[in-house]
Amino acid sequence: DAGVTQSPTHLIKTRGQQVTLRCSPISGHKSVSWYQQVLGQGPQFIFQYYEKEERGRGNFPDRFSARQFPNYSSELNVNALLLGDSALYLCASSPGDRDTQYFGPGTRLTVL
Amino acid sequence: AQSVSQHNHHVILSEAASLELGCNYSYGGTVNLFWYVQYPGQHLQLLLKYFSGDPLVKGIKGFEAEFIKSKFSFNLRKPSVQWSDTAEYFCAVTPSNTGNQFYFGTGTSLTVIP
C-alpha cells in the first residue's frame, strides 16, 4: 500500500513569496494533519482536517492556511514567507478523527 | 499549555547495551501516547502506541514502553540495542478528548557504536 505522499520534495523561495504544499493521504484515511519541523526540534502542529472540516489549528499566524479536498488530499499554503518559515513540513494521515497518525516524507522549504 | 519533555538529547551506546529514553508530559486528562522513530534519511515511523489497557506496550523491533500515569511518563526501553537502531526518537502525546493534535518532544538522537 502507498504511504502518505507529499510534493514537492524540496522548495526554495524568497522572502515575501507564497508557497503551496501538497499531501495525499493513505487510501481510506479521512484525516490529514500538517506539522512544521525546524532543525533540532520535534514537529509542531499546524492544522488538522477531517472530512474536509478544520478540526484543529496550532499556534501559527494567519499567513498559514490549509484545506482538504473531497478526495481527502490536502494543501498547505503559506503567504508572505519569512526566513523563519524555513523548515521541513510534514503531512500525516489517520483513518479517523482520533487515530494513530502516519507521516509522509515531508517537504523541505528553504526561504532565502 | 501541554508540553512533552525528552530529557536525553543525545545518547551514545555500544551494541548490546540496554536503552531507556525518558518522556514526560504535562496534561492532567486522559492521553494517548506514542513513540516515533526517524532513521537517517527516512520519514517518521510509528514504534509503538498506548491508548488504554496494559500500561506496558510492546512495539516493533523489540522496543517497549511503560506508561506510568502517576509520573506522567512514557519511557521507551530496549534490552539490547543494535547498530541499526541509530536514529532520532520522538515521544508524542495527544489528549484523547480533543481532536488529533499531537504534541511532540524535541527528540533524542541515539547513536549505537558497533
Side-chain angles (χ1 to χ4, degrees):
Chain A
D1 284 345
V4 177
T5 58
Q6 293 185 243
S7 63
T9 306
H10 295 88
L11 205 51
I12 299 175
K13 293 284 188 177
T14 56
R15 282 178 296 176
Q17 285 189 310
Q18 174 264 340
V19 68
T20 298
L21 311 180
R22 295 176 176 82
C23 170
S24 292
I26 293 171
S27 178
H29 286 195
K30 298 181 178 180
S31 176
V32 168
S33 298
W34 287 95
Y35 292 81
Q36 181 195 65
Q37 186 177 16
V38 175
L39 198 62
Q41 300 290 321
Q44 286 209 357
F45 173 76
I46 309 175
F47 285 109
Q48 186 209 353
Y49 277 79
Y50 176 68
E51 290 279 21
K52 302 182 289 294
E53 291 188 1
E54 182 182 303
R55 288 303 183 100
R57 169 187 272 264
N59 189 23
F60 281 81
D62 291 344
R63 299 184 296 106
F64 288 76
S65 64
R67 56 181 174 168
Q68 187 176 32
F69 298 98
N71 66 353
Y72 303 111
S73 67
S74 177
E75 286 183 351
L76 175 71
N77 296 284
V78 187
N79 294 322
L81 284 167
L82 303 174
L83 296 179
D85 295 332
S86 295
L88 181 68
Y89 288 85
L90 298 169
C91 174
S93 75
S94 57
D97 190 20
R98 298 170 192 170
D99 285 318
T100 302
Q101 294 190 3
Y102 298 88
F103 285 82
T107 293
R108 173 73 62 187
L109 173 64
T110 302
V111 182
L112 302 176
Chain B
Q2 294 85 352
S3 67
V4 179
S5 299
Q6 291 183 241
H7 307 294
N8 315 102
H9 297 294
H10 293 96
V11 174
I12 301 174
L13 295 173
S14 298
E15 273 193 321
S18 64
L19 170 72
E20 180 160 2
L21 301 182
C23 173
N24 289 89
Y25 63 93
S26 64
Y27 182 74
T30 304
V31 295
N32 296 329
L33 299 151
F34 305 81
W35 275 96
Y36 284 86
V37 60
Q38 190 167 29
Y39 298 105
Q42 297 187 27
H43 59 277
L44 281 167
Q45 299 173 36
L46 180 69
L47 262 184
L48 49 76
K49 61 185 178 183
Y50 172 81
F51 280 18
S52 64
D54 188 343
L56 184 62
V57 293
K58 295 188 184 298
I60 61 172
K61 305 185 180 185
F63 286 91
E64 64 178 31
E66 184 175 12
F67 171 50
I68 303 179
K69 189 175 181 180
S70 61
K71 295 185 178 180
F72 298 89
S73 70
F74 189 55
N75 292 353
L76 181 70
R77 300 194 292 248
K78 186 172 185 179
S80 176
V81 295
Q82 301 173 312
W83 175 79
S84 58
D85 293 325
T86 295
E88 190 88 15
Y89 291 81
F90 293 94
C91 178
V93 173
T94 181
S96 57
N97 62 346
T98 62
N100 213 20
Q101 177 173 347
F102 277 35
Y103 296 91
F104 281 85
T106 54
T108 297
S109 174
L110 172 66
T111 300
V112 180
I113 301 169

